Amino acid sequence: MMKFKAVLFLSLAVLMAGCGLLGKGGKAKKASSTTGWEYNNPDNGGFQADGDYNQITGPGLTFIEGGTFTMGRVEQDVMYDWNNMPRRVTVASFYMDETEVSNLDYREFIFWLQRVYPEHPGKAKAALPDTLVWRKELGYNEPYIQNYFRHPAYSDYPVVGVSWLQADAYCKWRTDRVNEQILVDRGVLQHDNTQTGQNVYTTNSYLAGLYEGTEGDNPIEDAAGNARKLKWEDGVLLPNYRLPTEAEWEYAAYGLIGNADGELLTERKLYPWNGSYLRDDSKKDRGQMMANFVRGRGDMMGMAGALNDNADITAPVNSYHPNDYGLYCMAGNVNEWVADVYRPMNQQDVDEFQPFRGNVFTQYRRDGDGNLVRNEYGELIQDTIADYRNFKDGDYSSQIIEGPDWQALQDQLSTEDMYLKSDEAGQFTSLISDNVRVYKGGSWKDRAYWLIPGTRRYLEQDQASNDIGFRCAMTRVGSPQGF
């Protein structure tokens, strides 16, 4: 129901906002305050100016008003990792999925890949969840291998068995499908079920003028009334769906907006809900578990006749009470991938605003004639120009060891070598690399400790598990207060 409302609101907002060129009350800005030239006047060149812009909320998302909070460990570090010391940071406003991505959502992704790339079956195969994550040597989980992802009984359950790379690919695909639908609703394009090969809609290829779709009956016009290509400056298309940063995820999970009186935080939360208890204290649901987790050894759901959390494995994505931001299952059910590369000493290097480790800067590849280059799937190819995943925490200047000086080591070993293998005296071994990603939130097979948003774990980005899923986020542009 919530997703239906979001889609309905999206369609109405697109129709009302038009192409973003109107100001308050539907009035366009008249003239430049710096030159005096009229905007949108074809007689003086027709420079088009937008009016006041309010970002619409994309399908499935809810608005998260940003602010400052203390990020990191709030409980005893029972694992003795010492990898999450408390630090105060500020997170900008953003959007996040109300629920984890479900099996139904992900099956739509697989279906689209199979339909659009019939000649490249490897594209869809690479996106398929690994259902063998359910297999256990001493447990009978074979029915989940066959049923969990595909059977309609589990459609509303969170997708699992997806790696970080697959989750990232889903976010990119979702961006393109949402923006394509916006253009269809706006009348700029028509649905084209013949898309295949190089002629597939992506937001980037459309903005670059490379997508040859079927035009709709309401094209974008310039000041003179001539049809033109839609531009990013028109404010019609939404920013990318993406995985949330660790700071965003943790901030959203706490939902401290419900515990503030002005700028005074009245109660520091341990879990996404108030208090330090795991059971509901309301009159209606008193005694019920607030999340899906393991209460004790061998106790996954309680006694027959009184299944307390009503979930043997995962539960539907909209189960239990949402937090104060309206987000479901930010503790328990499944762990969730976040965008960050894992480092144990993040708190020492963190930026105060929008902390994130994982920046890899790219640029579009061009051929000898300066034309953008696409792959066989119609996607623009990007080349790395700067990689900061390892910045100040893993590079040579930031390591402290005994033995040969760093200049000598730099000539002998790569950064990857330094992390993954070393048997020589004075050097160390670690499983941490630039391809290890953070996941958070606790799951259906975790103890209560991992339900605390400040806890963190990590896994290689190409690996998957039956207790890790994900949800998407989106950047907020403009005012941090939303509407």
Side-chain angles (χ1 to χ4, degrees):
M1 184 65 181
M2 296 298 293
K3 292 187 177 182
F4 171 77
K5 289 181 179 178
V7 173
L8 178 60
F9 175 70
L10 170 65
S11 300
L12 292 175
V14 169
L15 292 174
M16 290 188 293
C19 59
L21 299 181
L22 297 180
K24 291 181 179 179
K27 296 179 180 179
K29 290 185 177 180
K30 297 295 185 181
S32 169
S33 61
T34 55
T35 66
W37 285 42
E38 285 188 343
Y39 294 137
N40 311 309
N41 185 345
D43 294 334
N44 62 18
F47 174 72
Q48 291 189 272
D50 60 356
D52 296 327
Y53 173 83
N54 265 319
Q55 183 174 347
I56 62 175
T57 303
L61 300 176
T62 190
F63 178 69
I64 310 295
E65 184 175 345
T68 182
F69 83 115
T70 301
M71 180 181 179
R73 178 172 55 83
V74 296
E75 268 275 74
Q76 178 184 356
D77 191 354
V78 298
M79 306 303 293
Y80 296 98
D81 288 329
W82 303 108
N83 65 353
N84 207 15
M85 301 296 289
R87 63 276 192 193
R88 179 168 287 277
V89 300
T90 293
V91 174
S93 296
F94 63 104
Y95 298 85
M96 180 178 275
D97 275 339
E98 293 178 337
T99 68
E100 297 140 345
V101 173
S102 70
N103 285 318
L104 180 64
D105 298 328
Y106 203 84
R107 288 205 303 266
E108 182 183 8
F109 174 41
I110 299 298
F111 173 83
W112 188 92
L113 292 175
Q114 293 172 335
R115 179 177 64 81
V116 173
Y117 300 110
E119 298 180 357
H120 301 282
K123 182 77 168 175
K125 184 177 180 180
L128 284 171
D130 180 8
T131 58
L132 293 180
V133 294
W134 288 105
R135 180 163 289 169
K136 296 295 180 183
E137 294 84 349
L138 298 177
Y140 180 61
N141 287 350
E142 296 303 297
Y144 297 118
I145 296 176
Q146 176 68 24
N147 297 321
Y148 183 80
F149 177 60
R150 298 190 181 279
H151 198 280
Y154 295 104
S155 288
D156 292 330
Y157 286 59
V159 65
V160 298
V162 290
S163 68
W164 185 95
L165 293 174
Q166 290 172 316
D168 183 63
Y170 172 89
C171 293
K172 294 175 180 176
W173 169 84
R174 185 175 172 185
T175 299
D176 295 332
R177 302 291 69 76
V178 168
N179 279 333
E180 184 178 13
Q181 184 63 47
I182 287 175
L183 294 180
V184 171
D185 291 340
R186 176 66 175 79
V188 177
L189 291 177
Q190 297 180 27
H191 276 303
D192 183 4
N193 289 329
T194 65
Q195 292 183 38
T196 188
Q198 292 256 321
N199 191 36
V200 174
Y201 175 92
T202 69
T203 301
N204 290 335
S205 64
Y206 176 81
L207 291 174
L210 299 177
Y211 172 68
E212 298 178 2
T214 304
E215 292 186 1
D217 55 6
N218 187 28
I220 299 293
E221 297 180 347
D222 61 20
N226 300 315
R228 63 168 177 84
K229 283 286 185 180
L230 181 138
K231 301 178 293 184
W232 184 249
E233 294 88 334
D234 293 318
V236 173
L237 301 178
L238 289 175
N240 293 337
Y241 283 82
R242 55 176 175 79
L243 291 175
T245 67
E246 182 177 6
E248 288 175 334
W249 192 98
E250 189 171 327
Y251 177 83
Y254 278 123
L256 296 175
I257 193 171
N259 296 72
D261 182 5
E263 285 199 87
L264 176 65
L265 182 63
T266 58
E267 185 177 4
R268 180 71 165 97
K269 290 183 177 180
L270 186 63
Y271 301 106
W273 52 87
N274 286 329
S276 58
Y277 298 101
L278 297 166
R279 295 179 183 270
D280 197 330
D281 62 357
S282 67
K283 183 177 180 180
K284 178 183 177 182
D285 299 316
R286 183 166 297 161
Q288 296 299 306
M289 288 296 177
M290 298 291 286
N292 179 15
F293 67 103
V294 178
R295 291 188 292 174
R297 182 173 177 82
D299 185 359
M300 314 299 284
M301 60 177 171
M303 292 289 293
L307 298 181
N308 198 293
D309 65 19
N310 197 29
D312 46 2
I313 49 169
T314 58
V317 295
N318 59 350
S319 300
Y320 315 104
H321 297 302
N323 73 356
D324 288 327
Y325 276 124
L327 304 173
Y328 290 85
C329 294
M330 293 299 285
N333 212 24
V334 292
N335 290 287
E336 298 179 17
W337 288 113
V338 297
D340 291 59
V341 169
Y342 175 80
R343 286 293 186 276
M345 301 299 289
N346 267 20
Q347 68 276 6
Q348 303 297 327
D349 309 315
V350 67
D351 275 359
E352 296 177 63
F353 179 66
Q354 294 284 74
F356 172 65
R357 177 175 293 279
N359 281 317
V360 178
F361 302 124
T362 62
Q363 66 181 8
Y364 292 122
R365 183 182 301 178
R366 296 181 180 272
D367 60 22
D369 297 324
N371 299 315
L372 295 170
V373 179
R374 292 184 285 178
N375 60 21
E376 65 269 32
Y377 307 121
E379 302 161 337
L380 294 174
I381 298 177
Q382 301 184 54
D383 295 320
T384 298
I385 57 175
D387 186 345
Y388 289 105
R389 290 176 296 178
N390 205 32
F391 181 67
K392 292 182 66 177
D393 196 351
D395 59 350
Y396 290 103
S397 63
S398 65
Q399 297 295 340
I400 303 175
I401 66 168
E402 299 176 355
D405 63 54
W406 279 112
Q407 191 59 47
L409 285 177
Q410 190 169 4
D411 296 335
Q412 301 172 24
L413 300 169
S414 67
T415 301
E416 183 176 358
D417 291 328
M418 289 302 301
Y419 272 108
L420 299 181
K421 57 184 179 181
S422 179
D423 298 323
E424 299 181 20
Q427 299 173 21
F428 66 95
T429 300
S430 170
L431 297 178
I432 301 169
S433 76
D434 292 341
N435 296 321
V436 172
R437 302 286 176 168
V438 178
Y439 66 89
K440 298 172 74 71
S443 76
W444 61 273
K445 64 178 186 179
D446 283 321
R447 300 301 197 268
Y449 171 79
W450 296 108
L451 274 57
I452 300 170
T455 57
R456 63 202 302 252
R457 287 176 284 184
Y458 57 92
L459 188 68
E460 288 279 348
Q461 65 183 21
D462 60 353
Q463 296 182 13
S465 172
N466 65 3
D467 66 337
I468 301 179
F470 69 101
R471 72 180 75 209
C472 301
M474 179 184 289
T475 298
R476 163 73 185 179
V477 294
S479 168
Q481 290 188 317
F483 290 104

